[in-house]
Amino acid sequence: MRVLKQIYSIAIRECGILMKNPIYGFCMVLFPTFVVFFFTSLMNKGLPADMPVGIVDLDHTATTRSMIRHLDAFQTTKVVAEYNNVNEARQAIQENKIYAFLYIPRGTTDGLMTSSQPKISFYYSNVTLVAGSMLFRDLKTISSLGSASIGKTKLSAFGKTDDEIKTYLQPVAIDLHMIGNPWSNYNVYLSTVMVPGILMLFIFLLTPYSIGTELKFKHSKEWFAMAGNNPWIAIAGKLLPQFMIFLTIFYLFELYIYYILGFPHPGGVFTMLLLGFLAVISAQGFGVFAFGLMPSLRMSMSICSLWAVVSFSTSGATYPAFSMNPIIQGLTNLFPLRHYYMIYQINIFNGYPLMDAWFSISALILFALLPIFVMGNIKRAMLLYVYIP
């Protein structure tokens, strides 16, 4: 009972600090709320639409004009200009006026009719990965459809039936299914990882900041006196209000994306609540560990910011971890966001049992327990060290 009273008293003191210092309000409520709405609205259409494409048509036949009309009809592609030659189209790509262009040389239609295998070319910029991959798909599709259209005309002239033509043009029928996200909504893939990563970044930074400022403003001895010089009680009381606020932000974010925006979540409510809880305690645990490892406000915040930023590259959300260098692949396990992403992918997005992600769940719990190794150092720093700017 005495321990609970001490934690309560320190938590009330911390609430006063949170209200007096505007940094906490900005970094715990205002900026996270902005980040949630910014990223989810940035890709609210799910896929980029009407991306500009150019045409270099040197054949000028009804067949090539039909191909261009079909290309323009795709949702993600919009034909915005025709160029006289490849050099003009290439310059347009370099000036970012278009993302890709289709080159149709002279004699393409005649070559199709005589089965001499003419060549058409498409050029695209892959600097923007999503735009490049989507346009590559559309350009490849329209190229295949163009040859299929000519083939259908020729076979019809030979008296073939529609079923025979279909079998000849597509001997193997493809039944394609995109599991979990049939709309190809990139918002589902990116916002569910980017936003939690930024929220964890705020937790990483505020945790050592709130501890280090006690030392900086010479309030550390007063703080520890309220805890009876017990570092566990002192840390628990200080981080409890922050934990409650960040956990609320996480849960509101999950409510917004899964129940208002309708992101797929076959894993269920319990898994979502568990993942939010693990994300907050693991980030706070790492923040405390970073300060205890190096009891300097400046250095501990630098370590946490570096760790949080590198997490985005090592999470595996944009580039698969199994394709990375084996050493880097092993190091990805040192970042909490990587394990957050794995639990989300396995349990929430795909709906598999929690036991399938036991390693990542255990890893986040271990991150939360890291302060065990540095509590003695934190106590020594708070009671003996003198802050040096």
Side-chain angles (χ1 to χ4, degrees):
M1 185 63 69
R2 180 171 174 271
V3 171
L4 293 178
K5 287 183 178 179
Q6 289 175 318
I7 293 176
Y8 176 77
S9 300
I10 296 172
I12 294 297
R13 172 181 176 272
E14 184 66 18
C15 289
I17 295 174
L18 298 182
M19 289 187 290
K20 290 178 182 177
N21 192 338
I23 289 179
Y24 291 105
F26 279 105
C27 294
M28 297 175 70
V29 179
L30 187 61
F31 289 157
T33 303
F34 170 77
V35 164
V36 170
F37 287 105
F38 174 77
F39 277 97
T40 53
S41 62
L42 188 66
M43 298 174 287
N44 60 343
K45 293 183 179 180
L47 284 173
D50 294 335
M51 292 182 288
V53 171
I55 299 294
V56 180
D57 184 7
L58 303 182
D59 201 33
H60 298 293
T61 64
T63 299
T64 59
R65 286 192 291 270
S66 176
M67 290 175 60
I68 294 169
R69 286 194 301 271
H70 282 94
L71 178 63
D72 192 41
F74 287 144
Q75 179 184 359
T76 54
T77 305
K78 183 175 180 61
V79 177
V80 297
E82 289 199 24
Y83 301 96
N84 296 321
N85 52 61
V86 172
N87 288 334
E88 290 183 7
R90 177 181 56 79
Q91 186 175 356
I93 285 185
Q94 291 173 338
E95 294 174 354
N96 287 326
K97 294 179 180 178
I98 57 176
Y99 285 124
F101 69 89
L102 179 66
Y103 171 58
I104 306 174
R106 289 185 180 88
T108 297
T109 303
D110 291 340
L112 286 170
M113 297 301 295
T114 59
S115 300
S116 59
Q117 200 176 25
K119 292 183 180 180
I120 64 174
S121 307
F122 49 85
Y123 300 80
Y124 63 98
S125 171
N126 213 30
V127 173
T128 306
L129 291 176
V130 174
S133 62
M134 300 299 294
L135 290 177
F136 170 77
R137 183 196 64 183
D138 287 355
L139 290 167
K140 186 175 181 180
T141 300
I142 203 65
S143 302
S144 302
L145 289 177
S147 60
S149 176
I150 297 297
K152 181 179 180 182
T153 303
K154 289 178 61 178
L155 291 171
S156 296
F158 291 146
K160 300 294 184 179
T161 64
D162 288 343
D163 289 339
E164 289 174 325
I165 292 172
K166 185 186 298 183
T167 303
Y168 179 81
L169 294 178
Q170 190 181 25
V172 178
I174 299 174
D175 187 15
L176 180 65
H177 300 275
M178 182 175 287
I179 298 174
N181 185 13
W183 319 276
S184 299
N185 188 339
Y186 277 81
N187 204 4
V188 170
Y189 295 128
L190 297 180
S191 291
T192 49
V193 179
M194 292 295 295
V195 175
I198 296 175
L199 295 180
M200 294 173 77
L201 168 64
F202 287 128
I203 301 174
F204 278 160
L205 293 176
L206 282 182
T207 301
Y209 173 81
S210 61
I211 299 173
T213 49
E214 295 284 356
L215 187 60
K216 178 178 180 179
F217 298 118
K218 301 179 181 179
H219 298 154
S220 56
K221 293 181 180 178
E222 171 195 339
W223 168 38
F224 262 65
M226 295 179 66
N229 288 337
N230 186 323
W232 289 101
I233 297 175
I235 293 295
K238 172 166 279 293
L239 297 185
L240 181 60
Q242 297 181 35
F243 168 78
M244 297 302 296
I245 294 172
F246 276 119
L247 188 63
T248 301
I249 294 293
F250 253 96
Y251 284 166
L252 290 176
F253 162 68
E254 291 178 342
L255 173 67
Y256 176 64
I257 62 170
Y258 294 125
Y259 292 98
I260 296 180
L261 297 183
F263 286 11
H265 54 284
V269 176
F270 174 76
T271 307
M272 291 187 290
L273 298 179
L274 176 64
L275 184 55
F277 174 80
L278 291 175
V280 175
I281 63 170
S282 63
Q284 285 190 319
F286 184 86
V288 174
F289 174 75
F291 183 85
L293 197 64
M294 193 169 293
S296 164
L297 177 62
R298 195 166 41 196
M299 291 302 297
S300 59
M301 290 186 68
S302 298
I303 292 172
C304 287
S305 61
L306 174 64
W307 221 255
V309 171
V310 176
S311 294
F312 292 104
S313 300
T314 59
S315 67
T318 54
Y319 187 83
F322 61 80
S323 297
M324 298 178 185
N325 181 282
I327 297 176
I328 302 299
Q329 185 177 342
L331 293 176
T332 59
N333 293 314
L334 300 178
F335 298 88
L337 185 60
R338 166 64 179 168
H339 300 288
Y340 178 97
Y341 172 67
M342 292 304 296
I343 297 172
Y344 161 75
Q345 185 186 59
I346 295 171
N347 303 124
I348 295 180
F349 184 74
N350 289 310
Y352 295 125
L354 283 173
M355 281 303 297
D356 288 3
W358 68 269
F359 179 78
S360 293
I361 293 173
S362 302
L364 290 182
I365 294 173
L366 288 176
F367 278 112
L369 297 177
L370 282 178
I372 293 174
F373 302 101
V374 295
M375 275 301 179
N377 207 22
I378 292 176
K379 179 179 180 180
R380 185 163 49 254
M382 292 296 111
L383 298 180
L384 301 177
Y385 289 7
V386 176
Y387 178 77
I388 301 176

